[in-house]
Amino acid sequence: MRRALAALAAAWLPALAAAASPEDFERCNAAHPGEAGKADRLACFARLLGTDSVAAPVAGPVAAPAAVPVAGKEREPVKLAPTDDYAVATQLNYFLPAFHSRNPSRVSSSPTRPPVSERDRQPTEAKFRLDLRKRVARSILTHDDDLWLEYTQVSHWQLWNAEGSRPFRESSYEPQATYTFRPRLLDALPGGGLVRNLGIAVNHNSNGRGGDGSRSWNRVIAQAYLGDDTANAQLRAWWHVRENDDDNPDIADHFGRADLTMRFALTPRTHLTLMGRHSLRGGDRNRGAIQADLAFSRPWTGDLRLHLQFFRGYGESLIDYNHLGTYYGIGFSLGSWQ
């Protein structure tokens, strides 16, 4: 037994004497930061620990070595940069059975299309939004870029119009492809650490109609997403790609050329979203819109929230893109605000 203990001591005491300090691990983190330096960082840890390799975890950031007390003073464990798993901001999916217009449009038109009558439209209808997204590729050109496919649908349903057979009055279909990236240069700029990513998107938006009621447009969108889990914002600006036979050539003067969406977690179960859009023009082309959404839940409702919405301005729907209106809605929402 004594010989066995002596052999174990001879094997382990030299390694313990040469144990790495927390400063050594911090130097590994500083020399090989972020997702791009993960492999080199693990190799550096392995050299300090005297092993051939350190296995990467299946998911999540690399675990930091435990704190080692030195000279009676406790040191904090090494902190590694977290990964950002939601790079594209999305909206809540909601259903508003009561969505009321104070001054509904009775005639819809555009410079290239004759008027379309909506005299049977009731001022109170239902509205719902479906927002889906999927990351289809990552690390395409760098270690911090992603490609997303998204689909958004907003529908206005004359749910309470029994005499008119409760028709779907208007639907907007919006597929989009978004490329997001995060340049390392941002970390060196004042406040750059708040920027989660930059992006560029190709967007198509159409109401799916033909003839005089057709409304559609294509956009190239530049965007920036910044903030944290309790407050974040998305700033977008876009260019209208015109067509030879454009359904609505003046849509940017009404719907806008840029928007800012801000989201606040007032409490863990109360979320406020504010949106502002503008045409970025003056004079009689000075138009835009504002929207506020408040969603809150209780412990027994889970992810189902009571949802309130207010809208004032142009472009609440595609068919009414050039109509100035005021709207109120109440209903339910489901999903994540991030």
Side-chain angles (χ1 to χ4, degrees):
M1 176 65 72
R2 288 183 179 179
R3 291 181 179 179
L5 291 174
L8 287 172
W12 283 98
L13 285 176
L16 292 173
S21 68
E23 288 81 1
D24 295 324
F25 289 105
E26 291 175 2
R27 281 192 287 270
C28 287
N29 288 325
H32 312 288
E35 188 70 19
K38 181 185 291 185
D40 294 333
R41 185 167 62 251
L42 291 175
C44 185
F45 289 166
R47 288 193 297 270
L48 294 176
L49 297 173
T51 62
D52 293 335
S53 64
V54 176
V58 174
V62 179
V68 179
V70 177
K73 180 180 179 180
E74 291 188 1
R75 294 182 178 270
E76 295 184 357
V78 178
K79 297 181 180 180
L80 303 182
T83 57
D84 186 0
D85 196 32
Y86 48 96
V88 178
T90 59
Q91 303 289 333
L92 288 172
N93 295 317
Y94 57 73
F95 175 67
L96 310 178
F99 187 70
H100 179 75
S101 172
R102 288 184 57 185
N103 54 330
S105 172
R106 301 299 182 182
V107 177
S108 301
S109 64
S110 82
T112 59
R113 298 288 184 267
V116 176
S117 174
E118 291 189 285
R119 63 175 179 269
D120 295 331
R121 169 183 175 178
Q122 290 190 355
T124 301
E125 58 189 1
K127 176 185 178 182
F128 67 83
R129 177 189 178 100
L130 175 65
D131 191 276
L132 306 173
R133 62 172 183 152
K134 173 65 177 177
R135 176 161 37 197
V136 295
R138 64 174 74 212
S139 301
I140 305 166
L141 301 177
T142 71
H143 289 281
D144 297 312
D145 63 347
D146 301 282
L147 179 64
W148 300 77
L149 295 183
E150 303 172 72
Y151 174 77
T152 301
Q153 178 177 331
V154 179
S155 293
H156 296 74
W157 178 20
Q158 289 276 287
L159 176 62
W160 312 110
N161 188 354
E163 295 181 0
S165 300
R166 311 181 197 277
F168 276 83
R169 181 181 63 83
E170 171 76 355
S171 289
S172 167
Y173 310 98
E174 190 173 357
Q176 177 172 304
T178 306
Y179 172 75
T180 64
F181 58 97
R182 191 180 190 282
R184 298 286 181 84
L185 178 64
L186 291 173
D187 294 326
L189 300 176
L194 292 175
V195 180
R196 291 194 167 186
N197 64 74
L198 306 176
I200 186 167
V202 178
N203 176 286
H204 172 75
N205 192 6
S206 169
N207 66 353
R209 296 195 196 183
D212 299 337
S214 176
R215 303 287 185 271
S216 66
W217 63 325
N218 300 307
R219 291 178 289 168
V220 177
I221 303 173
Q223 63 185 39
Y225 182 35
L226 61 154
D228 55 29
D229 294 340
T230 58
N232 57 61
Q234 185 181 43
L235 176 63
R236 305 189 305 166
W238 52 80
W239 173 57
H240 177 196
V241 182
R242 297 183 177 275
E243 303 177 65
N244 292 332
D245 184 22
D246 205 316
D247 292 333
N248 26 249
D250 62 340
I251 189 170
D253 285 341
H254 295 83
F255 190 91
R257 293 178 174 85
D259 65 13
L260 174 64
T261 301
M262 299 180 292
R263 304 172 183 85
F264 305 93
L266 304 180
T267 71
R269 295 185 176 275
T270 305
H271 299 156
L272 174 66
T273 302
L274 303 175
M275 184 278 297
R277 279 199 314 254
H278 199 266
S279 63
L280 304 183
R281 298 293 186 270
D284 59 0
R285 301 169 70 189
N286 178 14
R287 305 182 183 96
I290 56 172
Q291 180 173 312
D293 290 82
L294 180 65
F296 54 93
S297 65
R298 290 295 177 263
W300 59 86
T301 63
D303 289 335
L304 186 66
R305 301 176 176 90
L306 180 65
H307 195 105
L308 306 176
Q309 184 176 101
F310 169 79
F311 182 96
R312 168 68 179 175
Y314 292 89
E316 196 284 320
S317 66
L318 271 182
I319 194 66
D320 294 329
Y321 78 91
N322 52 7
H323 173 70
L324 177 62
T326 303
Y327 305 81
Y328 309 91
I330 184 171
F332 304 94
S333 58
L334 184 68
S336 170
W337 72 306
Q338 297 167 331

